[in-house]
């Protein structure tokens, strides 16, 4: 089905059981909104997941779990194309071509690689982790995406994607759409509840600092109530002076739709405790139906798998066309059938 809407593409890794609140507010929330305005392609990036060691049974379960959470968050298979990256072999195929166009130095400057490889030690970090951003480039360019909704930490990868699209187009003729990052300023970086100097992250946050959406809501409510706050008592949005309170205000505002200044007024003269108690309740009210919807898809793996199979079929139709064009431009001899 051809569409005159702009294209959107994004992906999320099945590397943890549960999404966290940063994933939802920074990325997935935008995915849900953009199904209404864009021709939307969203995927669970299992090829990216194996850049660090994965237990096979867990990876398979987490891939289904990620898809169920995306549906639970509001993706609608009638409004978007939801699929699993490894079901579309064109990603790895275009990835190779892109590897051959990317400079070694250029790839070496990716901060995510530097952080993650430093954590693992140079000997344990794989070549796959090094070329991770280049596979991501292929993901995006295959779908001729105009916009890529992600959190702030992904900006550098999208910039590299733009550079590579322009390089390929310059060398071989117009082939790829040059994509733009779609990063919502307010929620681009949700911070750790215990350490508002770092982003909420499945690999870096301590358990008390991260809100996992599939945890018991009571557990998350407790974490919100014990979030670190700043000195003073005033509830005011001030990212440098009051990073803890500002983070809670961002979360509150996004989950309810109330403006930050409205919230500042509402809590004038009240203490941090009142804000945290109310936010805990807001979160529980939001997450309870999310968990129930996710569970419905987990309880019905046949439906889930059939959504993913249809998604892969739709995705392949688009990806195969772009790959054929790219192969032709590069000078590969067409295979005769
Ligand atoms: P890791 O800790 O392994 O890097 P992660 O917790 O950052 O993982 P990803 O799976 O890498 O999560 O991210 C999925 C999406 O969520 C990406 O678009 C990413 O930019 C976004 N995201 C992740 N953490 C945050 C955050 N704290 N605030 C806003 N967006 C985020
Ligand atoms: N690197 C991304 C996941 C990802 C992605 C993509 C995001 C893989 N391929 C294509 C946008 C577009 C991350 O969230 N860590």
């Amino acid at each position: 089905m051809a569409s005159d809407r702009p294209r959107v593409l994004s992906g999320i890794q099945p590397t943890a059981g549960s999404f966290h609140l940063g994933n939802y507010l920074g990325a997935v929330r935008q995915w849900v909104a953009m199904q209404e305005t864009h021709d939307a392609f969203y995927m669970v990036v299992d090829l990216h997941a194996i850049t660090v060691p994965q237990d096979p049974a867990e990876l398979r379960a987490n891939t289904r779990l990620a898809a169920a959470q995306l549906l639970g968050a509001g993706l609608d298979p009638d409004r978007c194309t939801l699929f699993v990256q490894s079901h579309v072999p064109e990603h790895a195929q275009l990835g190779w071509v892109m590897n051959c166009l990317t400079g070694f130095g250029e790839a070496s400057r990716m901060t995510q690689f530097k952080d993650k490889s430093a954590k693992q030690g140079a000997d344990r970090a794989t070549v796959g982790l090094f070329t991770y951003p280049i596979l991501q480039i292929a993901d995006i360019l295959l779908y001729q995406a105009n916009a890529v909704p992600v959190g702030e930490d992904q900006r550098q990868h999208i910039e590299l994607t733009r550079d590579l699209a322009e390089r390929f187009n310059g060398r071989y003729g117009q082939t790829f759409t040059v994509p733009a990052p779609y990063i919502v300023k307010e929620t681009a970086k949700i911070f750790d509840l215990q350490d508002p100097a770092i982003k909420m992250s499945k690999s870096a946050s301590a358990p008390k600092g991260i809100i996992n959406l599939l945890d018991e809501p009571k557990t998350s409510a407790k974490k919100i109530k014990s979030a670190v706050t700043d000195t003073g008592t005033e509830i005011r949005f001030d990212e440098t002076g009051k990073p803890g309170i500002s983070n809670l205000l961002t979360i509150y505002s996004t989950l309810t739709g109330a403006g930050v200044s409205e919230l500042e007024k509402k809590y004038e003269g009240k203490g941090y405790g009142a804000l945290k108690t109310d936010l805990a309740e807001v979160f529980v009210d939001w997450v309870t139906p999310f968990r129930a919807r996710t569970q419905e898809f987990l309880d019905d793996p046949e439906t889930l798998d059939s959504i993913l199979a249809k998604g892969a079929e739709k995705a392949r139709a688009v990806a195969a066309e772009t790959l054929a064009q790219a192969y032709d431009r590069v000078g590969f001899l067409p295979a005769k059938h």
Side-chain angles (χ1 to χ4, degrees), residues 9-298:
L9 174 125
S10 199
I12 190 160
Q13 298 193 73
T15 43
S18 175
F19 292 170
H20 60 71
L21 195 52
N23 299 143
Y24 175 72
L25 296 177
V28 175
R29 191 166 179 276
Q30 279 62 259
W31 299 15
V32 175
M34 290 170 103
Q35 337 171 73
E36 312 303 334
T37 49
H38 287 66
D39 186 18
F41 289 80
Y42 300 126
M43 63 182 164
V44 181
V45 293
D46 52 353
L47 299 179
H48 279 104
I50 64 162
T51 55
V52 296
Q54 299 292 338
D55 172 79
E58 244 172 66
L59 177 60
R60 207 166 284 127
N62 284 343
T63 300
R64 278 211 183 97
L65 191 51
Q69 289 176 88
L70 290 172
L71 293 162
L75 290 190
D76 175 351
D78 292 329
R79 291 203 177 80
C80 72
T81 303
L82 174 64
F83 64 102
V84 174
Q85 188 186 31
S86 66
H87 293 175
V88 181
E90 285 80 2
H91 291 257
Q93 292 173 293
L94 186 64
W96 177 253
V97 175
M98 290 299 153
N99 269 313
C100 297
L101 245 74
T102 309
F104 190 83
E106 198 172 34
S108 307
R109 285 192 288 276
M110 293 296 111
T111 56
Q112 185 177 300
F113 171 72
K114 288 196 272 188
D115 292 350
K116 295 203 168 173
S117 60
K119 262 186 215 154
Q120 293 186 27
D123 287 341
R124 285 185 49 218
T126 65
V127 175
L129 189 66
F130 183 66
T131 68
Y132 175 118
I134 301 159
L135 179 60
Q136 184 169 353
I137 292 171
D139 294 342
I140 298 167
L141 298 185
L142 273 177
Y143 298 89
Q144 308 285 8
N146 304 96
V148 186
V150 284
E152 183 61 40
D153 59 301
Q154 293 297 307
R155 187 185 292 279
Q156 197 188 27
H157 291 174
I158 314 303
E159 291 302 327
L160 185 65
T161 308
R162 292 170 61 83
D163 290 347
L164 266 290
E166 278 164 3
R167 187 170 309 160
F168 190 104
N169 290 345
R171 201 170 288 182
Y172 299 111
Q174 179 59 42
T175 308
F176 296 121
T177 302
V178 180
Y182 183 88
I183 300 173
V184 174
K185 193 171 150 278
E186 289 75 12
T187 52
K189 195 168 178 183
I190 299 296
F191 296 92
D192 183 295
L193 294 188
Q194 288 299 316
D195 180 359
I198 63 166
K199 73 161 194 147
M200 188 180 285
S201 148
K202 62 179 162 272
S203 52
S205 289
K208 282 185 74 185
I210 184 169
I211 299 290
N212 286 314
L213 304 185
L214 294 179
D215 281 355
E216 273 303 320
K218 263 194 277 176
T219 309
S220 300
K222 254 194 223 146
K223 290 187 194 176
I224 292 171
K225 287 184 201 161
S226 56
V228 294
T229 38
D230 316 290
T231 50
T233 53
E234 197 193 348
I235 292 175
R236 179 166 47 83
F237 190 87
D238 170 1
E239 277 177 311
T240 35
K242 290 178 169 276
I245 285 297
S246 302
N247 191 39
L248 297 180
L249 284 171
T250 299
I251 297 170
Y252 197 142
S253 161
T254 317
L255 289 180
T256 57
V260 165
S261 50
E262 202 180 309
L263 292 174
E264 285 172 338
K265 268 203 209 93
K266 178 170 171 177
Y267 288 97
E268 213 176 285
K270 296 187 184 154
Y272 292 161
L275 174 75
K276 293 202 269 185
T277 305
D278 290 355
L279 177 56
E281 198 180 308
V282 161
F283 175 77
V284 170
D285 288 350
W286 173 80
V287 87
T288 302
F290 162 83
R291 293 175 83 233
R293 286 192 302 266
T294 301
Q295 193 57 48
E296 275 174 36
F297 287 101
L298 290 174

